[in-house]
Amino acid sequence: GDAVEENKAAIFAISMFFGDIRLERFIGKVRDGEFITGPGKISNVLLQDRHDWVQHFTLSAGLTLAGGRGIADFIGEAKEVDDATNKASGFSFTDLAADRAGVRFAEIATGSADGARRIQDFLARPISEQQFLPEIRDLPEGLTAAQFEAQYGERDSEKYLRMVAEIDRRIDTIPMYR
């Protein structure tokens, strides 16, 4: 079949299964039958020992298909700003890195027939998580709004943009995304 369309379908499915079934708000209702309420227990699925990074990666991949990189990046950053302001988890560059890796995955997997087939070839072999998510456990996380502002200022500051560039550099080292 059409590798791009196959990958789109697979990404939307994993985005709703592991990421968030609210993705249907963008693409329309697709859950039916036994899956109407969403998946059962999936918290044992981890990336670098964290389930939330599975959610960030897969949801961002789905959002990329539904609205493009700009929308997916905006939603990822907005969530982290909200976490810094309203939640104990704080702003997390690790979460942002998982988001950006999911965006890159979706772009390569659906951007062209060659890219789509290349992703399928990668995923048809035994792989490890390092083949689609770079090491990110050393990035800053848990920053309150005050800590974020003291260390990075605004999200358009040079220091913040350097951190995002470092995340993108790490993602660029993964052969599947080249």
Side-chain angles (χ1 to χ4, degrees):
D2 182 331
V4 170
E5 291 303 313
E6 291 169 353
N7 289 355
K8 284 180 183 179
I11 289 169
F12 278 134
I14 65 169
S15 295
M16 286 187 292
F17 190 80
F18 290 109
D20 195 323
I21 57 177
R22 291 177 291 184
L23 187 64
E24 284 183 327
R25 292 178 183 165
F26 291 97
I27 63 171
K29 186 150 182 63
V30 296
R31 292 173 296 132
D32 197 15
E34 67 184 280
F35 300 107
I36 195 78
T37 59
K41 184 176 186 291
I42 56 170
S43 60
N44 61 330
V45 179
L46 309 173
L47 283 174
Q48 297 181 15
D49 300 319
R50 300 258 304 256
H51 178 67
D52 64 320
W53 292 345
V54 173
Q55 295 170 308
H56 281 274
F57 182 94
T58 59
L59 183 57
S60 291
L63 288 171
T64 301
L65 299 185
R69 171 183 273 279
I71 294 294
D73 285 345
F74 174 80
I75 290 172
E77 282 190 6
K79 187 217 176 275
E80 293 312 311
V81 169
D82 182 63
D83 287 354
T85 306
N86 300 315
K87 297 193 174 79
S89 61
F91 190 100
S92 171
F93 283 101
T94 60
D95 291 355
L96 196 62
D99 291 337
R100 293 178 79 83
V103 168
R104 181 74 59 86
F105 177 81
E107 287 179 331
I108 299 295
T110 64
S112 70
D114 288 341
R117 282 190 291 280
R118 195 170 82 241
I119 292 289
Q120 289 179 353
D121 288 344
F122 266 105
L123 297 178
R125 300 184 300 251
I127 61 169
S128 66
E129 63 190 45
Q130 293 82 15
Q131 292 173 289
F132 57 93
L133 182 69
E135 177 58 51
I136 59 175
R137 289 176 282 203
D138 63 325
L139 296 173
E141 63 181 330
L143 302 171
T144 65
Q147 290 170 324
F148 180 90
E149 187 174 336
Q151 292 180 39
Y152 297 95
E154 297 295 323
R155 286 182 290 138
D156 62 352
S157 73
E158 186 176 322
K159 189 170 183 180
Y160 176 80
L161 295 175
R162 274 197 314 267
M163 182 61 74
V164 173
E166 171 59 17
I167 290 167
D168 290 342
R169 185 199 64 75
R170 291 181 188 194
I171 294 168
D172 288 342
T173 66
I174 296 176
M176 185 166 54
Y177 299 148
R178 293 188 202 144

